[in-house]
Structures are given as structure tokens and as C-alpha cells.
Amino acid sequence: MDTVRWIITAAPEIFLLLAIAIGTLLGRIRLRGFAIGTTACILIVSVLIGQLGTFTFPSLLRVILFSLFVFTIGYRSGPEFFASLSMRTLAQVAMALVLGGTGLAIVLAFAFSFQLDPGTASGIAAGALTQSSVIGTASGALAQLGLPSDVLKQQEANIAAGYAVTYVLGYIVTLLFVPFVAPKLMRVDLKTEARKLEAELSGGEAPSTENFAYRKFQARAYLVSTAAGRTVKSLEEELGSRTVVERIVRQGLDVEPHLDTTLEAGDNIVITGRTAAIVAARPIIGAEIDADEIIKAIPGNVVEVLVDNRQLHGRSIKDVAERVGGNARGVFLRALTRMGREVPLSPDTRVYVGDVMTLVGSTRNIERAAAKVGQILRAGDRTDVAFLATGIAVGLLAGLVSVKIGSVALTLGGGGGALIAGLVCGWLRSRRPTMGALPPAAQQILSDLGLGGFIAAIGLGNGAAAWAAIQAHGMLLVGMGLVITLVPLIVATLFARYVLRMNPVVTCGALAGAMTVDAAVTGACEVAESQTPVLGVAVPYAVGNVVLTVLGPIIVAATYTG
């Protein structure tokens, strides 16, 4: 033990990294499809390791780690958050606000009834509402109060204790509530409602799996004979399925394929589109020819495009195609992904800022269409470190601003400031794609390492006190956490169903999004045997991340008695 204590004193960062590693590995373990989650496992592991001795980490380390995490959350949610401030998504925003507001009211009611200190109240809010970022914003707010170091340390230990006891319960309850309890409260069968929604989206007929499947995009060359004397527009209209004449070679020279270009006998033309349409083109155009050299000159491509055009937010795919107009000629939508999950495709499927479209077609056509939709995601993008560092610095500066409410200074703190900075920077990036690159892989590593390191530092530094608090008040915290999780979910479900008149399938996705529990979306999709619950995730997820995160300073200000 003397050796262990010496290592703790000389290099506590070793145990911090070990806590992250062990907690991450444990968080990946699934029992019958259920996993506790990385964040909770890291905290539990770090609290247990914290029993070995006294760990001391500089506050600067925790500030930087948490700022990286919360800035990334804001950056990721920024485009969706600002785009959600529109009439088309107002119902989903309202539902997320009701859920967060109800949670805050219950936390404060318990705090006043049981005389909870700010740390404990913030901890159970972070855990029961499954929003880990509350830990950081509450800690930042407590640090602004000028408390003695021993009092501040105990408050942080209470945050860790409240979170450790209530998070796993809140996660499990949300995971079960969304697919099983919410439909019963709304008096619907989720599977049946999903089929109805699919039918509605596809124009009244229940779509088969084949209708949503991607049909292979191809290019073939033909020698014009039958189609001689016809215009490109006339030919494309007869071929249908949005087939496009990509290239015309006449006597060895290229002719620009405008819609009013007239085809001549002997022209070699290349058409692109879905396989079934271009295979049936032979009797309409003429004989198919082996002309690899002219086909290769038209590079086909599959490109992911991030939707950031706010004018397209909340519109159907049909509306988007009409708005893009002629720029969509020769471009096909292969998939639509939202929060990492594929969304069912139909003409009436809604598109939101932050969605990723997978487009198929020739390179020049895709680039033309992408310019009207958003920005092409390129694997070679490098993180704009200057933009990232400046954004976080400005956010931390904004976090120093405080407003006096009675004797308490209400402030966002460094975490809240970094969140707001992330939202703005993410929005700026969507408006000006040439600045502020932070690729998805970089976002994930910053988020995981930032939150994991911060949580581990909290658990290690306050392990003994947190364990004592859990032993003393564990069951009380469990009971309060259960109520804080369940009641907002019930209120939000009934509000969405009977006041907002939201579709029940979309409501299930919105509940999971507002609680920021990704696994609950998967559960709803499995019960519904459909991907339609994903349609309600994006906007509540963005709003929930912001609303729940800022609860930390509010709870501290409301419960601090001086």
C-alpha cells in the first residue's frame, strides 16, 4: 500500500487514465442488450479507486476537460438548436422544454422539502435526468460562490454521490419507459402506429422494405438511332425515374447535354440512373455499346452531405427536391441519417438541419446539388484548432459574467459559457463551411475524453466523501431519483399527446431525444419494428442538451442559503 500511496502522490494522472480505461471497458459490456454506459462506469470505478488514498488534481485540468466536452456538445447541436426555433418544429421544442421544466420543478421541490444542499440537488438532477453535463455546470457555479475549500470539496462529493446513485436508475427507467410505458399512456400500439405513419409518409400505402431500399446507380452508353430528332428533355421524361443524359459525343466531340439539345443519329450518349430504368432504355434510344472510355469520363460518386440550409429545416424530401429544383437533376438520395441512425425514406419524410444525406450520382451533379443543401463531409478535413481554442476561450470569458439575484450571483460558469460558445460556433460552421472544421471523429474523441477525464477527476478527488454520502443517504436518493425521472417523462408524454397532438411514434423518439438517451430510441425502433421513431429525435435532443445542461447553475442559485 505504501507503493500505491507514493504513486498517488507522485503521479495521480496514472489512476485517472486507468479509471477512464476500466470504466470505458465496463461500460461496453451488455447484458441481454443492456449496458450501464461509459460515464456511470467511469464514475463508479473512480469513486472505488478513490478509497485508496487522497487524490489531488489541479482545477485547471478539470476546467479544460469539461470545457472540451461541453463545447463539443454545443458544436454538434448548434445547427439543429438554432434551426429548431421555427414554427415547423415548435411542438417538439415545447415538449423538450416541458420535460426539462418539470424536472427542475421536482428537483427544487425535493431540495426545499428535505433541505438538500446544492451539491446533492445538482447530483440527483444530473443522474435522474441523465444529463452528465449538469455535474460540470453545477461544479462551476459552486466554485463561483467563494466557499471554503473543505466545504467546496464536500459539495463536489455530494454531486458525485447523487449522480452515481441516480444515473443508472434514470437510464434504465428511460430505456423502459419510452418503448413500453409511453405507448400505454397514449393508449396506442406502437407497432400499429408505426405502420400507419409509414403508410402516411408513402402516400397512403404501407411500404414494403423494397420501397425503401436503394436501387443501384449505373451509367451505360448507347448509340442513338430510335431517339434521333428528340430533345434531351423529351428522352429523359420518357425514361422516367429521374434518368439523366450525362454525356453526348458527336463525331468525336463533346456536345453539352442541355435539356433542349436535339439528339442526332450516330450520337454516342451516356445515361445514368437506377438500373431498372436504364436497362429498359434500349428500345427507346438504340443499341447499347461498349464505350468504357466515355463512361469513365463521368466519375460516379457516393457522397455524404450535412444539411445546414435552414430553409430546408422541417420540410419533406419532396419539398426539398422542389426547392433544389434543376440542381437535383441526376442526383439520387441513397440514405438519410439522423443522430447516427438511418431514417425511413419517403416523399413526406421530414429533413432537419444536422441530418446527413447520402447522395449518389456523378461528381459534378452531386456538387451542384450539395451547394443548395449543405456541405459535403470530406474525410480529409482537419480540425481547426485555432477556431476551437478561440471559441472555448470566449465561452469561458462569458462564463465569468454573473447576475445578482438577491444575495446569490447567478452565473453560467465556465461550462455554461463553453456550451453557448459551442452552439454559436457550430452554427457559424454551418453558415460558413470553410471555417471551424471539427470532423465527427474529432468531436467524438473530444467528447469522450473530456467527459471521461472530468468525471474520473471528480470521482477520484472526492471518492471517500462520496462513498460516505452514498452509504448515508443512498435509499433516499434512489427514491427521489425515481420520481425525478418518471414524472417529467409522464408529463411530457401526456402533454405531447393531448395538448400538442403529436404523432405517438414521433413522441417516443422525442422523449428519448429530450432525455438524451440514445438507447431508448433503439428500443422504440425495435418495439415498433420500424425506424420511424428516429423522426422525432433530432430537435428535442438539441434542445434537451442545452436546457438540461443549464439546470446546474439554476439549482445551485436556488438552493444555496449562504
Side-chain angles (χ1 to χ4, degrees), residues 244-295:
V244 173
V245 176
E246 285 283 356
R247 191 179 185 193
I248 302 174
V249 179
R250 183 174 298 161
Q251 297 178 1
L253 300 176
D254 275 294
V255 176
E256 193 68 25
H258 298 297
L259 292 176
D260 58 356
T261 300
T262 301
L263 301 175
E264 297 180 3
D267 286 349
N268 291 333
I269 68 170
V270 177
I271 63 172
T272 59
R274 292 170 176 159
T275 303
I278 62 176
V279 166
R282 180 174 178 177
I284 300 173
I285 302 174
E288 184 176 355
I289 59 176
D290 184 10
D292 287 344
E293 66 279 1
I294 67 171
I295 293 177

Side-chain angles (χ1 to χ4, degrees), residues 120-154:
T120 301
S122 301
I124 61 175
L129 296 175
T130 64
Q131 182 56 260
S132 305
S133 57
V134 174
I135 298 175
T137 54
S139 297
L142 286 167
Q144 298 287 328
L145 297 177
L147 301 173
S149 59
D150 58 332
V151 176
L152 178 60
K153 190 176 181 66
Q154 182 60 56

Side-chain angles (χ1 to χ4, degrees), residues 266-347:
D267 286 349
N268 291 333
I269 68 170
V270 177
I271 63 172
T272 59
R274 292 170 176 159
T275 303
I278 62 176
V279 166
R282 180 174 178 177
I284 300 173
I285 302 174
E288 184 176 355
I289 59 176
D290 184 10
D292 287 344
E293 66 279 1
I294 67 171
I295 293 177
K296 288 179 180 178
I298 304 173
N301 216 344
V302 179
V303 174
E304 291 187 337
V305 178
L306 176 67
V307 179
D308 63 19
N309 184 345
R310 186 170 177 177
Q311 294 182 349
L312 304 181
H313 185 74
R315 297 190 180 277
S316 66
I317 290 177
K318 180 181 178 181
D319 289 340
V320 171
E322 290 176 354
R323 283 177 169 266
V324 175
N327 293 290
R329 181 171 174 265
V331 179
F332 299 85
L333 179 61
R334 174 176 178 175
L336 182 68
T337 306
R338 182 170 300 154
M339 307 297 296
R341 292 177 173 80
E342 195 164 322
V343 176
L345 293 180
S346 77

Side-chain angles (χ1 to χ4, degrees), residues 186-522:
M186 294 184 285
R187 299 180 181 178
V188 298
D189 178 77
L190 197 59
K191 183 176 178 180
T192 301
E193 292 298 323
R195 292 291 175 269
K196 291 179 181 178
L197 180 56
E198 286 181 349
E200 179 183 334
L201 292 174
S202 61
E205 297 181 1
S208 65
T209 305
E210 183 180 354
N211 288 341
F212 286 153
Y214 164 61
R215 292 155 181 142
K216 191 174 180 181
F217 173 86
Q218 283 192 356
R220 293 195 180 188
Y222 292 88
L223 176 66
V224 174
S225 58
T226 312
R230 301 185 62 174
T231 63
V232 169
K233 180 179 180 181
S234 170
L235 179 61
E236 289 180 354
E237 288 177 347
E238 183 172 353
L239 293 174
S241 297
R242 301 182 63 242
T243 305
V244 173
V245 176
E246 285 283 356
R247 191 179 185 193
I248 302 174
V249 179
R250 183 174 298 161
Q251 297 178 1
L253 300 176
D254 275 294
V255 176
E256 193 68 25
H258 298 297
L259 292 176
D260 58 356
T261 300
T262 301
L263 301 175
E264 297 180 3
D267 286 349
N268 291 333
I269 68 170
V270 177
I271 63 172
T272 59
R274 292 170 176 159
T275 303
I278 62 176
V279 166
R282 180 174 178 177
I284 300 173
I285 302 174
E288 184 176 355
I289 59 176
D290 184 10
D292 287 344
E293 66 279 1
I294 67 171
I295 293 177
K296 288 179 180 178
I298 304 173
N301 216 344
V302 179
V303 174
E304 291 187 337
V305 178
L306 176 67
V307 179
D308 63 19
N309 184 345
R310 186 170 177 177
Q311 294 182 349
L312 304 181
H313 185 74
R315 297 190 180 277
S316 66
I317 290 177
K318 180 181 178 181
D319 289 340
V320 171
E322 290 176 354
R323 283 177 169 266
V324 175
N327 293 290
R329 181 171 174 265
V331 179
F332 299 85
L333 179 61
R334 174 176 178 175
L336 182 68
T337 306
R338 182 170 300 154
M339 307 297 296
R341 292 177 173 80
E342 195 164 322
V343 176
L345 293 180
S346 77
D348 290 326
T349 297
R350 299 287 173 177
V351 175
Y352 297 105
V353 168
D355 288 353
V356 175
M357 287 184 168
T358 303
L359 301 182
V360 184
S362 67
T363 301
R364 65 180 181 183
N365 285 342
I366 288 179
E367 290 182 347
R368 185 181 64 240
K372 299 294 183 180
V373 173
Q375 54 184 291
I376 295 175
L377 298 177
R378 305 185 189 278
D381 283 349
R382 297 179 61 183
T383 299
D384 188 342
V385 176
F387 183 85
L388 173 69
T390 302
I392 294 176
V394 172
L396 293 176
L397 181 63
L400 297 176
V401 178
S402 61
V403 178
K404 278 276 189 180
I405 299 180
S407 61
V408 178
L410 182 61
T411 175
L412 285 174
L419 173 67
I420 300 302
L423 289 169
V424 174
C425 288
W427 175 78
L428 286 175
R429 165 67 173 172
S430 72
R431 308 305 296 172
R432 298 192 177 186
T434 57
M435 65 183 290
L438 188 59
Q443 294 177 29
Q444 196 62 52
I445 188 69
L446 289 177
S447 177
D448 291 345
L449 188 59
L451 180 60
F454 174 77
I455 291 294
I458 289 286
L460 290 171
N462 303 281
W467 183 249
I470 290 172
Q471 290 178 311
H473 308 293
M475 292 310 298
L476 176 62
L477 297 179
V478 167
M480 289 190 290
L482 182 62
V483 175
I484 293 169
T485 302
L486 264 178
V487 174
L489 283 170
I490 293 171
V491 171
T493 301
L494 298 176
F495 182 74
R497 177 62 169 167
Y498 298 107
V499 178
L500 299 177
R501 303 292 182 181
M502 287 174 58
N503 182 283
V505 180
V506 174
T507 296
C508 288
L511 289 169
M515 288 290 284
T516 64
V517 177
D518 293 346
V521 185
T522 303

Side-chain angles (χ1 to χ4, degrees), residues 3-130:
T3 302
V4 173
R5 292 192 181 95
W6 175 77
I7 297 175
I8 290 173
T9 303
E13 62 273 11
I14 293 174
F15 289 93
L16 184 142
L17 293 172
L18 283 175
I20 295 174
I22 297 171
T24 300
L25 291 174
L26 292 176
R28 293 174 181 169
I29 297 175
R30 292 185 173 275
L31 298 175
R32 296 185 177 181
F34 172 76
I36 295 177
T38 299
T39 305
C41 286
I42 289 175
L43 181 60
I44 293 170
V45 168
S46 60
V47 167
L48 293 176
I49 294 177
Q51 310 307 308
L52 297 176
T54 302
F55 291 83
T56 303
F57 297 99
S59 59
L60 178 62
L61 173 66
R62 295 194 307 182
V63 169
I64 291 176
L65 288 171
F66 185 70
S67 296
L68 287 173
F69 161 68
V70 77
F71 178 88
T72 304
I73 292 297
Y75 183 95
R76 185 183 297 164
S77 303
E80 296 168 357
F81 177 77
F82 286 109
S84 69
L85 306 177
S86 67
M87 293 301 295
R88 289 188 295 274
T89 55
L90 189 59
Q92 295 181 28
V93 173
M95 195 217 72
L97 292 175
V98 166
L99 189 147
T102 304
L104 173 62
I106 298 172
V107 169
L108 294 181
F110 277 133
F112 295 134
S113 300
F114 292 91
Q115 300 296 306
L116 300 180
D117 59 83
T120 301
S122 301
I124 61 175
L129 296 175
T130 64

